[in-house]
Amino acid sequence: MMNALLTEGQALSGRRRGILDYVTEHGVVPVADLLKRFSLSRASINRDLLVLCAQGLVRRIGTDITTLPNIGASASVMYRRAQAVAEKQAIATLAASMVSQGDTVALDDSTTAGEMADRLSEIAQLTVVTNSLGVVSRLGPCETVGLIGLGGRYSPTFDAFVGRICEQSVMSMRINMAFVSAAAISGVTAYHQVEDIIQAKRALMGVADCRVLLADSRKFDTVAMNRLALLSEFDVVITDDGIDPACAELLRDAGISLRIANVPRPAPGLTAD
């Protein structure tokens, strides 16, 4: 019964992601177009739109649906998964190379940490602790990885569990490495826009022997509302080769252990298929 409920919930979540992606791509979409596109009844589409509107991801104006250029939309996991994909994959590959057989590692809700999931599945006798439902879904079928999912209050925007239960669940653990991300980095400080997400990240950091920050180069010299941590609180900061060399030099001069992942790019004169 529980598996059936989880499967149903994940399918519904996937449908809503599809609706949001479609509206984001087209800007303004009539409800009638969504009915045809997703082969839904009017009652079903109305329920999905109600949830997306409540999350601040779309807005309904008469018979049209449009996205909102607000913090909720830019923070949503659906939006983030489509951003800087090659950079996140390169960072994830470099981060995964730091993990050894038998380690216990923590992955946060970030899409960059999520990219690590497939790469970690190849490491034997590994235990992964996470508050990300997406990571649980990706590693759940893997028989070689021990998986510990942190409970709490579910955040559809981040596809992750947050709150006091989540934070307390990890307090009795000891983790070899925690991989977390930030929404923005200004100077030598990392930021995030949502306090609940910050508390979950800091809970993972608090029980880890080694803390690793994953941040693609777009996030440098930007700001968000709330402070997550000083970069000096991380043992390693991993970014991609799109980072401004001057910024990288300043971070290293400040004593930050910075590692840079090379992003595969087409050779000059060639275009990707």
Side-chain angles (χ1 to χ4, degrees), residues 10 16 18 30 44 52 70 73 86 104 207 258:
Q10 290 167 1
R16 289 174 183 160
S44 294
L52 293 173
N70 62 10
T104 296
V207 296
L258 183 68

Side-chain angles (χ1 to χ4, degrees), residues 122-186:
E122 302 173 0
I123 302 176
Q125 298 179 350
L126 186 70
T127 299
V128 174
V129 178
T130 185
N131 65 321
S132 166
L133 184 57
V135 170
V136 170
S137 299
R138 293 168 86 162
L139 287 179
C142 182
E143 297 181 356
T144 60
V145 174
L147 185 61
I148 300 175
L150 303 175
R153 174 170 49 81
Y154 178 66
S155 167
T157 301
F158 292 92
D159 196 28
F161 295 94
V162 297
R164 186 176 298 276
I165 294 175
C166 173
E167 297 160 26
Q168 291 180 340
S169 296
V170 77
M171 288 179 63
S172 62
M173 300 181 187
R174 197 69 213 169
I175 294 170
N176 297 115
M177 308 183 78
F179 296 89
V180 304
S181 187
I185 298 173
S186 179

Side-chain angles (χ1 to χ4, degrees), residues 91-103:
I91 290 170
T93 298
L94 180 55
S97 71
M98 299 174 62
V99 179
S100 301
Q101 180 177 329
D103 279 350

Side-chain angles (χ1 to χ4, degrees), residues 9 13 29 33 45 48 54 70 110 118 121 128 134 143-144 155 161 183 189 227 230 237 243 245 251 263:
S13 177
V29 179
D33 287 3
I45 196 70
D48 288 346
N70 62 10
S110 67
D118 295 334
S121 65
V128 174
E143 297 181 356
T144 60
S155 167
F161 295 94
T189 306
R227 184 180 118 164
L230 293 172
V237 175
I243 187 172
L251 293 177
V263 181

Side-chain angles (χ1 to χ4, degrees), residues 173-223:
M173 300 181 187
R174 197 69 213 169
I175 294 170
N176 297 115
M177 308 183 78
F179 296 89
V180 304
S181 187
I185 298 173
S186 179
V188 293
T189 306
Y191 295 86
H192 199 279
Q193 58 268 52
V194 178
E195 185 64 29
D196 278 347
I197 294 294
I198 287 177
Q199 295 305 320
K201 293 175 187 287
R202 290 204 62 87
L204 295 175
M205 293 169 58
V207 296
D209 296 327
C210 178
R211 306 166 177 176
V212 182
L213 179 67
L214 312 176
D216 66 76
S217 57
R218 301 169 307 131
K219 296 179 178 180
F220 288 85
D221 293 325
T222 60
V223 295

